[in-house]
Amino acid sequence: MKIGIICYPTFGGSGVVATELGKAMADKGHKVHFITYNRPFRLDHYHENIYYHEVNVPDYPLFEHLPYETALAGKLVDVTRFDNLDLVHVHYAIPHASAALFAKNILAESGKSLPVITTLHGTDITLVGRDNTYAPVVEYSINKSDGVTAVSKSLKEETEEFFNIKREIEVIPNFIDFTRFSKLDKDHFKKAIAPNDEKILIHVSNFRKLKRVDDVIRVFNGVRKEIPCKLLLAGDGPERANIETLCRNSEYTDDIRFLGKQEAIEELLAVSDLFIMPSASESFGLAALEGMACRVPLISSNIGGLPEINIHGKTGFLSDLSDAEDMTRNALLLLKDDDKLNEFKEQAYLQARKFDIETVMPVYEKYYEKVIQDSKSNAK
Ligand code: GMT
């Protein structure tokens, strides 16, 4: 197949899923065309089946806001015509789905069919997509796409609860490429972070409010009161400055390291003992699943799609939203008992194995084929 992929190229779950899926499709022999405004950060090597088309938005004195959606639609029309795409798969509804549908309609004028698959990732439904400004466009785009997938059961349900959905939404979960995320031997690195064999807690996110990084600090302070440990904070975003202030006022400030955006996240996960994800909203929690793939158990809130990956009392623990005390208790339960911790590490890994890209990629491939076939039948 000749597949177009539209995604955000930045650090963030939806871009990671889009890129890893595209790479896996390319390995399988499909031609994959990424269409976005920057090279996706995990698209880091040459591949004979992968193409990258950059969307540039020409400026004009009249524009106070650059019309990215129009430029994206125009680029998609151009690539589809030249490379004869069989379908386009857009990740994150806003503004990718409506731009793709616009391109589809333009192409239809000249008799070219371009099926559009939209994958809903999270905040495009649970947060920003609910804004009155975007909601009618999101709803229309979901109903008019040729195929729609959601990354968890919970996200599908939330979509159907909030929007007036008149079509089937397929749940296809996110996945892990185990060639990248398998526990690496990084003893020397561990020694550098925790020279006295302290336990290492980790949090990875884009530091938005909904990630509740302040709860991570509360949990860490509570744990640190009882046992020697270190906290790694990877990622960056709007809340980072506030969190740094919070940490500077903590008596354990020397045990907390801000690492900023990290590409080789697997190396950090490889030395970690516990992942903390207390989010207020999380459709799936890919960053945490990457941790589990590296045998890092998960202390998380019990919202959204998190209970679909984190099995309470087995791969980690689930707590009510904002209950940092319970999260602290659960973290200590594991960190104070090496046998239990090792047992949870193994279970976390086995659970992550269920989301192996080798299993999930063919599900997407079949779905692509079905959507293309259905579009052909509907056109007759
Ligand atoms: O919230 C983020 O970390 C970024 C966001 C994105 O779209 O890049 O993540 C969403 O999609 C990820 C991949 O499907 C999911 O693993 C995240 O849970 C989801 N984030 C939220 O729902 C808040």
Side-chain angles (χ1 to χ4, degrees), residues 18 22 155 186 200 202 223 259 262 264 277-278 292 298 357 360:
L155 184 60
K186 290 274 168 195
I200 300 177
I202 189 165
V223 172
L259 301 165
Q262 293 283 329
M277 184 176 265
M292 290 164 66
L298 176 60
I357 191 168
V360 180

Side-chain angles (χ1 to χ4, degrees), residues 11-15 17 92 121-123 126 151 174 206 208 210-211 281-287:
F11 288 80
S14 62
V17 170
Y92 204 90
H121 275 276
T123 49
T126 56
V151 297
N174 290 332
N206 47 24
R208 280 183 287 159
L210 65 81
K211 299 290 175 180
S281 171
E282 204 67 65
S283 69
F284 186 87
L286 182 62

